[in-house]
Amino acid sequence: MLNIRVVAVNAGGRSEPVVLPQPIPVREVMDRPRIRMPRALRSKYIRHAGEQINLVIPFSGKPKPVISWTKNGQPLDTKKVNVRNSDKDSILFIRKAERDDSGSYEMSVKVDSFEDKTTLIIQIVDLPGPPVSVKLVDSWGFNAALEWTPPKDNGNTEITGYTVQKADKKTGEWFTVLEHFHRLNVTVTDLVMGNVYTFRVFSENMVGRSETAAVTKDAARIKKTGIVYKPLEYKEHDFSEAPKFTAPLKDRAATVGYTAKLLCAVRGSPKPKIEWLKNQMLLGDDPKFRQINNQGVCSLEIRKPSSFDGGVYTCRAKNALGEATVACKLEVKQVTIQEEKDKK
């Protein structure tokens, strides 16, 4: 409130003041309150359970408006919902949204007797529960008919479909038959004859598929239809054969003191017995000679041969159906002094 007076002034000085009889009130220019709701919040605001909600709603008005919030006509629960107000906007904050945070939130901006209001619809959605039950109605031929009831918990949003799966009791592995199926009954076809099947059904909504499924108590047994399989009769092939060398021995030269190896390959059934001879004399178990037969590949290793180890070596293979032989000549040379120097 201001008191006003007026004084006249000239070269001689100031006059006595004249005072207004009543003080004058000073007021801020009033601006009616107005909420500027963001376009994204004008329709239903949907979020998944567990997500954070942080909504900024600007407004205008002078002098500074009084801001208030309600949920479904009741004051907000300040333990779960935080509101921060400034001169230009109001922030609604929920750290971890839960389904019971869904509802109609009303914001009021008031300046003296003027008021503006807006309503914000928040919907918190979650995964649905499984169908209440699923029942095997009938099974015939290669088909099975199923029925189920909707879930008690739809996740706070509309059920958009169902996923149907089957499992053969032999393997226990689940395979998807149908996805995003809208009806509450279905006939599953193309089942395998002789198998026993169990079925389960998941619920679906905009968030995703239910974590668990409803499983049929009864199993569908796909009976055999009298088809008898008669296997063809095959005569067993006789693989018996006399020994036969597929890779012969080859003549070669060795050096005194340097191990030499003779190689050949043989086949036969039953497995032939292998014998090595030198100059038609059986070698037997002489430790100087190492005899190996691995998958039909026969080798004779002559350890540090001398000039007396030269001669004709024979490999003989025998089984009940016959025998075969293969021979080669081994020449053992003495190393000359010049060759020794060349090697050094």
Side-chain angles (χ1 to χ4, degrees), residues 27 32-33 80 84 88 91 122 131 137 156 187 194 232-233 274 293 300 315 319 321 339:
R27 295 181 181 179
R32 287 195 175 194
K80 300 179 66 177
R84 295 192 294 269
K88 297 181 180 179
I91 300 174
I122 296 179
V137 179
N156 201 31
T187 298
L232 297 176
E233 295 182 1
I274 305 301
N293 180 13
L300 178 67
C315 181
N319 67 7
L321 299 178
E339 288 176 339

mmCIF file of all heavy atoms in Angstrom, residues 27 32-33 80 84 88 91 122 131 137 156 187 194 232-233 274 293 300 315 319 321 339:
data_model
loop_
_atom_site.group_PDB
_atom_site.id
_atom_site.type_symbol
_atom_site.label_atom_id
_atom_site.label_comp_id
_atom_site.label_asym_id
_atom_site.label_seq_id
_atom_site.Cartn_x
_atom_site.Cartn_y
_atom_site.Cartn_z
ATOM 1 N N ARG A 27 -0.360 -3.895 -6.918
ATOM 2 C CA ARG A 27 -0.555 -5.323 -7.216
ATOM 3 C C ARG A 27 0.196 -5.730 -8.487
ATOM 4 O O ARG A 27 0.343 -4.935 -9.407
ATOM 5 C CB ARG A 27 -2.039 -5.641 -7.391
ATOM 6 C CG ARG A 27 -2.851 -5.456 -6.136
ATOM 7 C CD ARG A 27 -4.314 -5.805 -6.385
ATOM 8 N NE ARG A 27 -5.113 -5.610 -5.180
ATOM 9 C CZ ARG A 27 -6.437 -5.826 -5.131
ATOM 10 N NH1 ARG A 27 -7.072 -6.216 -6.225
ATOM 11 N NH2 ARG A 27 -7.081 -5.633 -4.004
ATOM 12 N N ARG A 32 -3.682 -15.237 -15.972
ATOM 13 C CA ARG A 32 -4.473 -16.424 -15.631
ATOM 14 C C ARG A 32 -3.633 -17.707 -15.778
ATOM 15 O O ARG A 32 -2.826 -17.812 -16.700
ATOM 16 C CB ARG A 32 -5.694 -16.524 -16.541
ATOM 17 C CG ARG A 32 -6.753 -15.500 -16.222
ATOM 18 C CD ARG A 32 -8.060 -15.873 -16.893
ATOM 19 N NE ARG A 32 -9.129 -14.971 -16.516
ATOM 20 C CZ ARG A 32 -10.418 -15.213 -16.736
ATOM 21 N NH1 ARG A 32 -10.775 -16.322 -17.350
ATOM 22 N NH2 ARG A 32 -11.338 -14.344 -16.351
ATOM 23 N N PRO A 33 -3.827 -18.657 -14.861
ATOM 24 C CA PRO A 33 -3.046 -19.908 -14.940
ATOM 25 C C PRO A 33 -3.442 -20.738 -16.161
ATOM 26 O O PRO A 33 -4.608 -20.781 -16.548
ATOM 27 C CB PRO A 33 -3.413 -20.619 -13.635
ATOM 28 C CG PRO A 33 -4.758 -20.087 -13.267
ATOM 29 C CD PRO A 33 -4.777 -18.653 -13.735
ATOM 30 N N LYS A 80 5.629 -43.014 -2.340
ATOM 31 C CA LYS A 80 5.843 -43.649 -3.646
ATOM 32 C C LYS A 80 5.959 -42.635 -4.774
ATOM 33 O O LYS A 80 6.659 -42.875 -5.760
ATOM 34 C CB LYS A 80 4.703 -44.628 -3.939
ATOM 35 C CG LYS A 80 4.578 -45.743 -2.921
ATOM 36 C CD LYS A 80 3.432 -46.665 -3.257
ATOM 37 C CE LYS A 80 3.671 -47.409 -4.546
ATOM 38 N NZ LYS A 80 2.601 -48.365 -4.851
ATOM 39 N N ARG A 84 7.848 -32.290 -7.682
ATOM 40 C CA ARG A 84 8.729 -31.128 -7.515
ATOM 41 C C ARG A 84 8.191 -29.996 -8.385
ATOM 42 O O ARG A 84 8.034 -30.166 -9.601
ATOM 43 C CB ARG A 84 10.166 -31.480 -7.913
ATOM 44 C CG ARG A 84 10.798 -32.527 -7.002
ATOM 45 C CD ARG A 84 12.308 -32.636 -7.245
ATOM 46 N NE ARG A 84 12.596 -33.164 -8.573
ATOM 47 C CZ ARG A 84 12.745 -34.462 -8.832
ATOM 48 N NH1 ARG A 84 12.577 -35.342 -7.856
ATOM 49 N NH2 ARG A 84 13.028 -34.871 -10.057
ATOM 50 N N LYS A 88 7.863 -22.617 -13.374
ATOM 51 C CA LYS A 88 7.435 -22.844 -14.759
ATOM 52 C C LYS A 88 6.885 -24.242 -15.024
ATOM 53 O O LYS A 88 6.217 -24.464 -16.033
ATOM 54 C CB LYS A 88 8.606 -22.600 -15.710
ATOM 55 C CG LYS A 88 9.112 -21.173 -15.697
ATOM 56 C CD LYS A 88 10.261 -20.997 -16.676
ATOM 57 C CE LYS A 88 10.771 -19.567 -16.679
ATOM 58 N NZ LYS A 88 11.904 -19.391 -17.628
ATOM 59 N N ILE A 91 7.002 -31.503 -11.801
ATOM 60 C CA ILE A 91 7.580 -32.807 -12.167
ATOM 61 C C ILE A 91 6.969 -33.884 -11.289
ATOM 62 O O ILE A 91 7.024 -33.806 -10.050
ATOM 63 C CB ILE A 91 9.115 -32.799 -12.005
ATOM 64 C CG1 ILE A 91 9.738 -31.733 -12.901
ATOM 65 C CG2 ILE A 91 9.691 -34.167 -12.338
ATOM 66 C CD1 ILE A 91 11.241 -31.570 -12.694
ATOM 67 N N ILE A 122 -2.275 -42.799 -16.255
ATOM 68 C CA ILE A 122 -1.074 -43.635 -16.240
ATOM 69 C C ILE A 122 -1.491 -45.099 -16.092
ATOM 70 O O ILE A 122 -2.297 -45.436 -15.220
ATOM 71 C CB ILE A 122 -0.122 -43.219 -15.095
ATOM 72 C CG1 ILE A 122 0.390 -41.799 -15.324
ATOM 73 C CG2 ILE A 122 1.045 -44.200 -14.985
ATOM 74 C CD1 ILE A 122 1.311 -41.297 -14.226
ATOM 75 N N PRO A 131 -2.751 -69.225 -18.522
ATOM 76 C CA PRO A 131 -4.170 -69.580 -18.521
ATOM 77 C C PRO A 131 -4.526 -70.356 -17.262
ATOM 78 O O PRO A 131 -3.688 -71.066 -16.681
ATOM 79 C CB PRO A 131 -4.316 -70.438 -19.779
ATOM 80 C CG PRO A 131 -3.208 -69.987 -20.672
ATOM 81 C CD PRO A 131 -2.070 -69.642 -19.752
ATOM 82 N N VAL A 137 -9.390 -82.188 -24.937
ATOM 83 C CA VAL A 137 -10.789 -82.549 -25.153
ATOM 84 C C VAL A 137 -10.901 -83.898 -25.835
ATOM 85 O O VAL A 137 -11.687 -84.758 -25.428
ATOM 86 C CB VAL A 137 -11.498 -81.458 -25.997
ATOM 87 C CG1 VAL A 137 -12.937 -81.829 -26.262
ATOM 88 C CG2 VAL A 137 -11.409 -80.111 -25.289
ATOM 89 N N ASN A 156 -2.583 -56.247 -16.282
ATOM 90 C CA ASN A 156 -3.138 -54.887 -16.312
ATOM 91 C C ASN A 156 -3.256 -54.340 -17.734
ATOM 92 O O ASN A 156 -3.193 -53.142 -17.958
ATOM 93 C CB ASN A 156 -2.299 -53.930 -15.460
ATOM 94 C CG ASN A 156 -3.083 -52.683 -15.055
ATOM 95 O OD1 ASN A 156 -4.300 -52.733 -14.884
ATOM 96 N ND2 ASN A 156 -2.395 -51.564 -14.899
ATOM 97 N N THR A 187 -7.204 -77.221 -32.657
ATOM 98 C CA THR A 187 -6.939 -78.615 -33.013
ATOM 99 C C THR A 187 -5.521 -78.691 -33.551
ATOM 100 O O THR A 187 -5.194 -78.076 -34.563
ATOM 101 C CB THR A 187 -7.942 -79.116 -34.072
ATOM 102 O OG1 THR A 187 -9.266 -79.049 -33.521
ATOM 103 C CG2 THR A 187 -7.626 -80.555 -34.450
ATOM 104 N N GLY A 194 2.095 -93.268 -32.920
ATOM 105 C CA GLY A 194 2.830 -94.039 -31.928
ATOM 106 C C GLY A 194 3.422 -93.207 -30.813
ATOM 107 O O GLY A 194 3.888 -93.765 -29.815
ATOM 108 N N LEU A 232 12.715 -105.734 -45.432
ATOM 109 C CA LEU A 232 13.197 -106.540 -46.552
ATOM 110 C C LEU A 232 14.284 -107.487 -46.081
ATOM 111 O O LEU A 232 15.055 -107.187 -45.170
ATOM 112 C CB LEU A 232 13.742 -105.614 -47.650
ATOM 113 C CG LEU A 232 12.725 -104.660 -48.292
ATOM 114 C CD1 LEU A 232 13.441 -103.743 -49.278
ATOM 115 C CD2 LEU A 232 11.635 -105.439 -49.005
ATOM 116 N N GLU A 233 14.285 -108.646 -46.696
ATOM 117 C CA GLU A 233 15.295 -109.631 -46.339
ATOM 118 C C GLU A 233 16.512 -109.457 -47.237
ATOM 119 O O GLU A 233 16.396 -109.400 -48.464
ATOM 120 C CB GLU A 233 14.720 -111.046 -46.498
ATOM 121 C CG GLU A 233 13.579 -111.351 -45.526
ATOM 122 C CD GLU A 233 13.077 -112.782 -45.682
ATOM 123 O OE1 GLU A 233 13.649 -113.513 -46.527
ATOM 124 O OE2 GLU A 233 12.138 -113.152 -44.975
ATOM 125 N N ILE A 274 50.942 -112.199 -40.402
ATOM 126 C CA ILE A 274 52.072 -111.659 -41.167
ATOM 127 C C ILE A 274 53.375 -112.287 -40.649
ATOM 128 O O ILE A 274 53.623 -112.330 -39.432
ATOM 129 C CB ILE A 274 52.140 -110.130 -41.050
ATOM 130 C CG1 ILE A 274 50.795 -109.508 -41.483
ATOM 131 C CG2 ILE A 274 53.277 -109.579 -41.885
ATOM 132 C CD1 ILE A 274 50.392 -109.834 -42.900
ATOM 133 N N ASN A 293 52.289 -104.391 -37.779
ATOM 134 C CA ASN A 293 51.147 -104.541 -38.693
ATOM 135 C C ASN A 293 50.024 -103.666 -38.155
ATOM 136 O O ASN A 293 49.412 -103.981 -37.132
ATOM 137 C CB ASN A 293 50.708 -106.003 -38.783
ATOM 138 C CG ASN A 293 49.513 -106.188 -39.718
ATOM 139 O OD1 ASN A 293 49.157 -105.287 -40.479
ATOM 140 N ND2 ASN A 293 48.880 -107.348 -39.644
ATOM 141 N N LEU A 300 58.771 -103.485 -41.665
ATOM 142 C CA LEU A 300 59.899 -104.186 -41.034
ATOM 143 C C LEU A 300 61.012 -103.164 -40.871
ATOM 144 O O LEU A 300 61.515 -102.615 -41.854
ATOM 145 C CB LEU A 300 60.374 -105.365 -41.903
ATOM 146 C CG LEU A 300 61.584 -106.116 -41.349
ATOM 147 C CD1 LEU A 300 61.234 -106.847 -40.054
ATOM 148 C CD2 LEU A 300 62.121 -107.108 -42.397
ATOM 149 N N CYS A 315 57.745 -110.800 -47.315
ATOM 150 C CA CYS A 315 56.608 -110.659 -46.380
ATOM 151 C C CYS A 315 55.554 -111.664 -46.806
ATOM 152 O O CYS A 315 55.115 -111.667 -47.972
ATOM 153 C CB CYS A 315 56.047 -109.234 -46.405
ATOM 154 S SG CYS A 315 54.656 -108.985 -45.265
ATOM 155 N N ASN A 319 45.949 -116.661 -44.188
ATOM 156 C CA ASN A 319 44.722 -116.870 -43.410
ATOM 157 C C ASN A 319 44.089 -118.188 -43.871
ATOM 158 O O ASN A 319 44.709 -118.952 -44.645
ATOM 159 C CB ASN A 319 43.756 -115.681 -43.535
ATOM 160 C CG ASN A 319 43.177 -115.505 -44.920
ATOM 161 O OD1 ASN A 319 43.369 -116.342 -45.812
ATOM 162 N ND2 ASN A 319 42.473 -114.399 -45.125
ATOM 163 N N LEU A 321 41.929 -118.871 -45.987
ATOM 164 C CA LEU A 321 41.586 -118.972 -47.410
ATOM 165 C C LEU A 321 42.816 -119.032 -48.310
ATOM 166 O O LEU A 321 42.682 -119.224 -49.515
ATOM 167 C CB LEU A 321 40.699 -117.797 -47.817
ATOM 168 C CG LEU A 321 39.354 -117.700 -47.077
ATOM 169 C CD1 LEU A 321 38.580 -116.481 -47.531
ATOM 170 C CD2 LEU A 321 38.513 -118.951 -47.320
ATOM 171 N N GLU A 339 82.408 -89.921 -48.290
ATOM 172 C CA GLU A 339 81.009 -89.666 -47.978
ATOM 173 C C GLU A 339 80.874 -89.161 -46.545
ATOM 174 O O GLU A 339 80.032 -88.307 -46.239
ATOM 175 C CB GLU A 339 80.205 -90.950 -48.179
ATOM 176 C CG GLU A 339 80.011 -91.331 -49.638
ATOM 177 C CD GLU A 339 79.295 -92.653 -49.804
ATOM 178 O OE1 GLU A 339 79.309 -93.441 -48.841
ATOM 179 O OE2 GLU A 339 78.747 -92.898 -50.888
#
